[in-house]
Amino acid sequence: MSISPISIFLLLGTLAGYAVAADSAPVSSDVEMPDIAVKAKALKLHDEISYTPHSVVIEQPASDVYLGETLGKLPGVLVRNTSGFGSTTTVITSKALGSAGTAVSIDDIPVVESSGRGVNFSFFPSALISSIEHHSPFYPSMDPTSDNLPASGGRINLRTLKSPKAGETPLIGSVVVGAGKSIETTVGLRGGDEKRDWVAGVSGYNTKGDYSFRNPLTGGDETRANNDAVGLGGLAKYRWHLDNEATFEALEFASNSNRTNPGSLLAPTRQHQKDTFNLTGARYHGPHLLGTHDGLFAKAAVGYARTATEGPSAGQIDSGVTTDSRSVGNYAQAGFVHRNDSTSFTFALDNQFDYLRTDEGIFNRNLFGATATVSVDVGKFRFVPLARQEANSIFPSTADGSMSMIYQPDADNDVSLSYGLSHSYPAITAVGGFTNGGLTVLPNPDLHVQRDSIVSLSFDRRKPKYTVYGSAFYDLVRNRSTFTFVSDTSARFVNLSSVSVVGYTLDGQLFPLEALALRGSVTLTRAWDRATGHEMPYKPRLEGWAAASYLVTQAVGVTVQEQFTGKRFVSSTGVSTVDPFIQTILRLDAQALGGVFFFKVTNLFDVSAFENPGFPYAGRGYWLGYTLGSATL
């Protein structure tokens, strides 16, 4: 597949622009990136990106139809959307080998996912999210009060909307209508003062899901039928600002969805799937609770998920199966921190209990962990060693550790070098087996713990006219648990002896004009089985994202986006692949009536490709929306 001229222009123009950008602008340690809006309440047209040695943050995300669109703007993040608007949405980061390899949290409260399938981001209403953060696997060494559970793919943290500033409306509202007879609405309210702030809202969607596409096999225009979905979710967060800079916050999130699973083009089905998800959590941070330099922190979370399917499975018409799985995950963490001018010490204990009930039986797992971190500043260098010991009720105990070195020559530049050893456990379902439609996954109690040895180098540079971020990493993975077919109707997870993963990322922004913002991102990744040389599934060698946003007036703007995903293998045999895919998005935003209207065309050139074998990308789609009090203002 050839790359369109638009993508070539945007990618090369943005990334090459750093070499010629003005480097003589005044230096300010507070400047993360400029804002092209020169007046209060001006339209925020482009995403605001900030970089640190172990994090990339998208603040004030622009008008996206669903959360998966924003996640796809993170460097090297592959978003997997199985069947259009409202369907299961998971992510695979550049360092992860699967969707379960990345941890997820909301306002730093862990989303406890016990099944091992990865978090479904379609549950979360994007209109209530103010920023998306992607932290590297070494982020706990930068913020030891965060979730310390190892994750080779790092952690994605969703920040909810903050209390309104002076002159901003406390109301939250959005309406989006578009392709596949889809509609999503969100209503909410936020507020606060010096002692407290809060946000609450509900969001619902309905789609007939009958989107048009061009069949990659035949080239003909078709309609994706039997793809209906309806969902409802609600979120509430309350935060108290206590004495001595202490904070306590509580969060409640609930979601329910019911959709029809159309299956693949080669094996269509009419299964219905019902998903229920609930997260209850709280966290406390008292940096000076025990004295000027000593504090305590704690957090707790309970996650509940249920997935039930009924009706014909893949390729069946009159017969079928019914499955029902429920999982509960409990997480608790408590720790102590000591800080002075140049050093800090943190010690934390954590516990997670997972319970899973499927048609095959009841499975549970209990783990305890202890983490110690020291941070020492020596001139312009910071050294952060981390050690962790973890005990598991199913697998042998593990010991992890990392060492990070950060060099900051001035307020505008950071360089980080890190090495670490971490682990991940096979999913409970991989050990005990399960049934999904017409496929039986056989149990394998002999699976081993996956071990990751990761080395990472990154840098970031911040200037008023441009910002740039780059990283490189190598991960040697031992005992990778991989899905393998045994027959046409059965499969099991097996361990590969060792897998290598190498990746490079370059991401940045350029502001050649006050009203023009350019962004480009390129990630090269290769993951392969060291024994056979076969590439690992769902890891594209090349991913690219680029955008050009132009503010025509203070209230009207236009944006062109390009997203490229390279060829991917869909099994570890090194044979079956899906072709590259490039999507062009055109968006027009206009500020009016106290909010923002937007018109968007997705897959502008109606490109034909498969997301998964037999699961086509949606064709050209038209979307119209209005947001009030969200991140676009």
Side-chain angles (χ1 to χ4, degrees):
M1 174 180 293
S2 61
I3 302 178
S4 76
I6 296 178
S7 64
I8 295 175
F9 167 77
L10 292 176
L11 281 168
L12 297 182
T14 302
L15 296 175
Y18 307 129
V20 298
D23 213 21
S24 59
V27 175
S28 172
S29 60
D30 296 328
V31 175
E32 292 292 331
M33 62 166 293
D35 189 3
I36 61 174
V38 296
K39 294 183 180 180
K41 297 184 180 180
L43 179 66
K44 293 181 178 177
L45 186 62
H46 64 279
D47 301 312
E48 298 180 4
I49 317 296
S50 60
Y51 312 100
T52 63
H54 290 291
S55 298
V56 177
V57 180
I58 299 180
E59 300 180 24
Q60 308 288 352
S63 304
D64 294 326
V65 173
Y66 70 109
L67 195 59
E69 287 190 7
T70 308
L71 291 166
K73 298 174 184 177
L74 291 169
V77 171
L78 173 67
V79 177
R80 299 182 63 198
N81 181 266
T82 57
S83 194
F85 184 76
S87 65
T88 301
T89 302
T90 58
V91 301
I92 301 177
T93 62
S94 59
K95 292 183 176 68
L97 290 173
S99 56
T102 302
V104 179
S105 58
I106 302 178
D107 290 329
D108 291 319
I109 294 175
V111 177
V112 187
E113 201 282 318
S114 300
S115 70
R117 300 188 182 104
V119 173
N120 181 3
F121 286 93
S122 68
F123 291 151
F124 308 118
S126 60
L128 300 177
I129 303 300
S130 67
S131 65
I132 292 179
E133 307 166 351
H134 182 209
H135 305 308
S136 84
F138 300 102
Y139 181 76
S141 64
M142 303 298 103
D143 180 11
T145 67
S146 67
D147 178 4
N148 284 316
L149 294 176
S152 60
R155 180 166 63 97
I156 290 178
N157 184 51
L158 308 178
R159 293 284 180 191
T160 55
L161 289 175
K162 301 176 182 177
S163 58
K165 299 177 182 178
E168 293 182 336
T169 175
L171 299 176
I172 305 168
S174 71
V175 178
V176 179
V177 296
K181 299 179 180 178
S182 303
I183 180 171
E184 181 179 43
T185 60
T186 301
V187 293
L189 196 65
R190 55 181 177 155
D193 52 33
E194 294 180 354
K195 290 293 184 180
R196 62 190 62 83
D197 59 82
W198 51 273
V199 59
V202 294
S203 181
Y205 65 85
N206 186 291
T207 177
K208 294 302 180 182
D210 298 335
Y211 62 80
S212 62
F213 69 98
R214 285 197 300 115
N215 192 321
L217 301 176
T218 65
D221 294 329
E222 299 183 20
T223 299
R224 187 78 157 130
N226 197 36
N227 200 33
D228 302 347
V230 60
L232 180 66
L235 181 147
K237 187 193 76 169
Y238 202 100
R239 179 170 56 184
W240 289 266
H241 302 271
L242 309 175
D243 295 334
N244 294 323
E245 301 180 18
T247 59
F248 176 83
E249 56 188 282
L251 180 141
E252 176 70 24
F253 176 80
S255 177
N256 187 283
S257 66
N258 186 352
R259 69 171 295 106
T260 304
N261 177 17
S264 71
L265 297 181
L266 302 178
T269 180
R270 294 181 180 179
Q271 261 191 2
H272 289 271
Q273 178 172 314
K274 297 180 180 179
D275 289 286
T276 302
F277 177 77
N278 180 265
L279 176 67
T280 302
R283 64 189 295 261
Y284 169 82
H285 188 201
H288 310 297
L289 182 67
L290 303 179
T292 304
H293 302 290
D294 302 309
L296 296 177
F297 59 92
K299 67 180 64 173
V302 178
Y304 169 80
R306 180 182 182 183
T307 299
T309 63
E310 60 181 1
S313 56
Q316 298 177 331
I317 298 177
D318 299 323
S319 61
V321 295
T322 299
T323 65
D324 191 354
S325 66
R326 307 183 190 194
S327 64
V328 178
N330 301 314
Y331 176 83
Q333 180 197 49
F336 162 82
V337 59
H338 168 80
R339 293 186 176 95
N340 57 34
D341 293 338
S342 60
T343 63
S344 67
F345 170 77
T346 305
F347 180 77
L349 298 174
D350 56 72
N351 169 246
Q352 180 169 325
F353 177 77
D354 296 309
Y355 168 90
L356 177 66
R357 191 184 78 179
T358 69
D359 297 326
E360 285 71 31
I362 296 176
F363 311 93
N364 56 66
R365 177 177 61 189
N366 202 0
L367 62 87
F368 296 89
T371 304
T373 307
V374 178
S375 177
V376 180
D377 293 335
V378 181
K380 296 181 179 181
F381 290 86
R382 173 175 293 178
F383 300 92
V384 190
L386 179 148
R388 177 176 174 82
Q389 180 73 34
E390 192 170 289
N392 189 291
S393 60
I394 299 179
F395 300 98
S397 298
T398 57
D400 299 337
S402 67
M403 170 61 81
S404 294
M405 181 191 73
I406 299 174
Y407 173 62
Q408 188 176 37
D410 52 52
D412 299 322
N413 298 275
D414 295 304
V415 179
S416 175
L417 176 63
S418 300
Y419 172 78
L421 176 67
S422 67
H423 72 278
S424 59
Y425 298 111
I428 300 178
T429 50
V431 176
F434 64 96
T435 299
N436 185 7
L439 178 66
T440 298
V441 177
L442 304 173
N444 186 357
D446 298 324
L447 289 173
H448 301 294
V449 178
Q450 175 179 310
R451 303 292 286 172
D452 290 75
S453 301
I454 308 175
V455 60
S456 174
L457 175 66
S458 66
F459 75 92
D460 59 271
R461 180 172 175 81
R462 305 171 297 274
K463 285 292 185 178
K465 285 293 184 180
Y466 70 94
T467 58
V468 61
Y469 166 85
S471 69
F473 75 91
Y474 175 78
D475 184 6
L476 177 61
V477 185
R478 296 179 176 88
N479 299 327
R480 168 62 184 170
S481 180
T482 303
F483 185 81
T484 302
F485 277 96
V486 177
S487 67
D488 292 339
T489 58
S490 63
R492 66 158 45 96
F493 284 86
V494 298
N495 284 126
L496 300 180
S497 58
S498 63
V499 174
S500 288
V501 188
V502 61
Y504 310 91
T505 292
L506 182 62
D507 188 282
Q509 302 164 105
L510 178 65
F511 305 93
L513 302 173
E514 187 177 46
L516 178 63
L518 302 176
R519 182 182 170 215
S521 181
V522 175
T523 296
L524 302 172
T525 309
R526 185 167 182 259
W528 69 97
D529 182 349
R530 291 166 61 90
T532 64
H534 295 162
E535 296 198 32
M536 300 302 294
Y538 304 111
K539 293 292 292 183
R541 285 195 175 186
L542 173 63
E543 292 180 82
W545 193 94
S549 300
Y550 183 70
L551 200 60
V552 181
T553 69
Q554 289 296 301
V556 178
V558 61
T559 299
V560 179
Q561 301 175 12
E562 288 274 4
Q563 187 167 7
F564 176 80
T565 302
K567 183 178 73 172
R568 289 156 290 152
F569 290 87
V570 295
S571 71
S572 57
T573 62
V575 178
S576 181
T577 64
V578 290
D579 292 331
F581 173 73
I582 187 167
Q583 178 178 209
T584 304
I585 298 175
L586 178 65
R587 193 184 81 233
L588 176 67
D589 293 78
Q591 185 170 296
L593 302 179
V596 175
F597 288 90
F598 70 88
F599 173 72
K600 177 180 289 189
V601 184
T602 55
N603 198 0
L604 180 65
F605 299 111
D606 203 23
V607 177
S608 171
F610 283 126
E611 200 281 334
N612 287 317
F615 290 84
Y617 281 102
R620 184 185 299 111
Y622 301 94
W623 300 86
L624 181 65
Y626 172 78
T627 61
L628 173 68
S630 67
T632 54
L633 285 175

